[in-house]
Amino acid sequence: MQHDLLKTLLYYDIWSHPLTEQELFTFLPVNSITPEQFHEQIENGPTGDTICKHGGYYFVKGKTEAVIATRKQRERHAQWMWMMARVSTHIIKRFPFVRAVFVSGDLSKNATQSSSDIDFFIITEPERLWITRSLLILFKKLFLFNRKKFFCLNYFTTADNLLLDGRNVYHATEVATLKPMFNKALFDDYICANSWVKQFFPNFDVSTISLPRTNDRRSLLQKLLEIPFRFFDASKLDEFLMKQMQSLWANRYPEFDEATRKKIFKCTRTESRTFIGNFEEKILAIYNQRLKDFGIQK
């Protein structure tokens, strides 16, 4: 149990983010214990000398109680960011072919700070992803002066491509902490399609997680804006815009070969996602080193 608790705490310790008992149970890597048994064991105090408990929060030894104050400060900051996320969602949902809007990143974990952006995960109509993305990027450049603070268009996928290909603790965490803003039904479909998350977090149950209130009514403006695309083969336009983006990435990052670009820039008819900076690999490297430091793996 101590090792299982540490595996969970050490991942969030990368961001100095202590966890509650419910969060610990949800993201525990094993399910050999019931919630009641888990509560009984952890209520009596964590075993060993590597886990600390204070004020209902758990964190690894080496950190002080200051991490709790930091988490609460980030939660207060997140309240303001959620208000801005709702405003941005009302804008995004009116663009043609947007079928769902989720929040990911720091805000999805309710832990933002002044440097945090609002990361949006957008699901589009099939064969319309690049039309939607191009219109949203154009709006950001023209009306928001390309600022991404409250309008970070982080990831796009189509409604017929809900299964995420990457399967590790990083991706599992991002899926499990996603928050729906528009179209709760499609959010439920996405979580169901990515049930592999339970391989990493067997206790994960979206029904036990607090989710924001969603606005699920489709916009009349969106329906009107989609009408012109019925009079020509919009799928060809979508493919053209995708190829234009592929050329843009190739010209902007000539130091990468084609294989590397395909890995860093997901640029297909069903997905748009960038991995500039190798953030995922850096997080996993830090996490694995932390596991070694605490003697959990060799």
Side-chain angles (χ1 to χ4, degrees):
M1 176 59 69
Q2 183 185 2
H3 277 191
D4 293 330
L5 291 171
L6 272 173
K7 284 181 180 179
T8 302
L9 289 173
L10 284 172
Y11 186 81
Y12 286 89
D13 185 60
I14 297 173
W15 295 273
S16 297
H17 189 77
L19 299 178
T20 64
E21 179 182 323
Q22 178 60 48
E23 291 166 342
L24 257 180
F25 179 75
T26 297
F27 296 106
L28 206 65
V30 294
N31 66 346
S32 58
I33 189 171
T34 66
E36 294 74 22
Q37 291 172 330
F38 180 77
H39 173 75
E40 183 179 351
Q41 286 197 20
I42 205 167
E43 187 69 14
N44 295 327
T47 59
D49 58 354
T50 54
I51 299 174
C52 301
K53 175 185 177 182
H54 182 79
Y57 293 92
Y58 297 84
F59 49 95
V60 296
K61 186 178 181 180
K63 294 293 175 69
T64 68
E65 297 168 7
V67 296
I68 299 175
T70 298
R71 169 170 172 161
K72 291 181 177 179
Q73 181 181 10
R74 291 172 178 172
E75 288 175 343
R76 288 192 294 270
H77 186 272
Q79 292 178 6
W80 177 69
M81 294 288 275
W82 277 118
M83 290 191 293
M84 299 307 298
R86 291 187 181 93
V87 173
S88 295
T89 298
H90 278 291
I91 296 173
I92 295 171
K93 65 174 285 190
R94 285 167 168 75
F95 275 73
F97 310 116
V98 172
R99 296 298 176 252
V101 181
F102 309 150
V103 164
S104 61
D106 292 348
L107 185 56
S108 70
K109 301 164 186 65
N110 208 36
T112 62
Q113 49 192 320
S114 59
S115 60
S116 299
D117 299 326
I118 300 178
D119 296 315
F120 286 104
F121 174 8
I122 299 169
I123 297 181
T124 74
E125 185 76 13
E127 298 188 338
R128 300 293 185 271
L129 184 154
W130 292 97
I131 294 174
T132 302
R133 185 185 184 280
S134 298
L135 290 172
L136 283 166
I137 294 296
L138 183 62
F139 172 84
K140 185 178 72 168
K141 289 181 180 294
L142 292 179
F143 297 98
L144 302 180
F145 304 103
N146 207 31
R147 295 174 182 170
K148 64 176 184 176
K149 180 71 176 179
F150 307 118
F151 212 80
C152 187
L153 308 173
N154 195 41
Y155 180 33
F156 291 80
T157 193
T158 54
D160 59 351
N161 183 52
L162 300 182
L163 180 62
L164 186 65
D165 54 0
R167 298 192 181 187
N168 53 45
V169 67
Y170 175 85
H171 286 300
T173 301
E174 294 307 302
V175 171
T177 55
L178 272 178
K179 299 296 186 294
M181 299 299 288
F182 166 58
N183 200 337
K184 175 63 164 55
L186 195 49
F187 171 78
D188 292 337
D189 290 342
Y190 184 82
I191 295 298
C192 183
N194 290 281
S195 58
W196 57 267
V197 167
K198 293 181 75 68
Q199 297 173 11
F200 293 87
F201 312 129
N203 301 320
F204 172 73
D205 183 352
V206 71
S207 66
T208 66
I209 296 175
S210 177
L211 299 176
R213 175 175 50 86
T214 59
N215 184 332
D216 295 335
R217 188 175 69 176
R218 282 193 62 188
S219 165
L220 175 60
L221 176 61
Q222 182 192 64
K223 294 178 181 179
L224 293 174
L225 292 174
E226 290 179 4
I227 291 176
F229 294 93
R230 299 176 184 173
F231 298 100
F232 64 95
D233 190 353
S235 62
K236 289 186 177 179
L237 173 61
D238 193 74
E239 184 177 12
F240 170 78
L241 292 171
M242 179 196 70
K243 290 180 178 179
Q244 290 295 108
M245 183 54 62
Q246 289 174 338
S247 298
L248 176 64
W249 289 132
N251 293 330
R252 185 174 294 178
Y253 297 96
E255 66 272 22
F256 298 137
D257 57 33
E258 185 175 354
T260 303
R261 276 197 301 272
K262 286 183 177 180
K263 180 180 179 181
I264 296 176
F265 309 109
K266 291 286 186 178
C267 193
T268 69
R269 293 299 301 276
T270 60
E271 186 178 23
S272 171
R273 183 163 40 131
T274 58
F275 297 92
I276 298 175
N278 292 322
F279 184 73
E280 173 192 342
E281 293 182 8
K282 290 178 180 177
I283 293 300
L284 291 176
I286 294 172
Y287 179 53
N288 289 329
Q289 185 59 52
R290 295 286 279 158
L291 291 177
K292 293 177 182 177
D293 292 342
F294 278 78
I296 297 178
Q297 72 178 28
K298 297 181 179 179

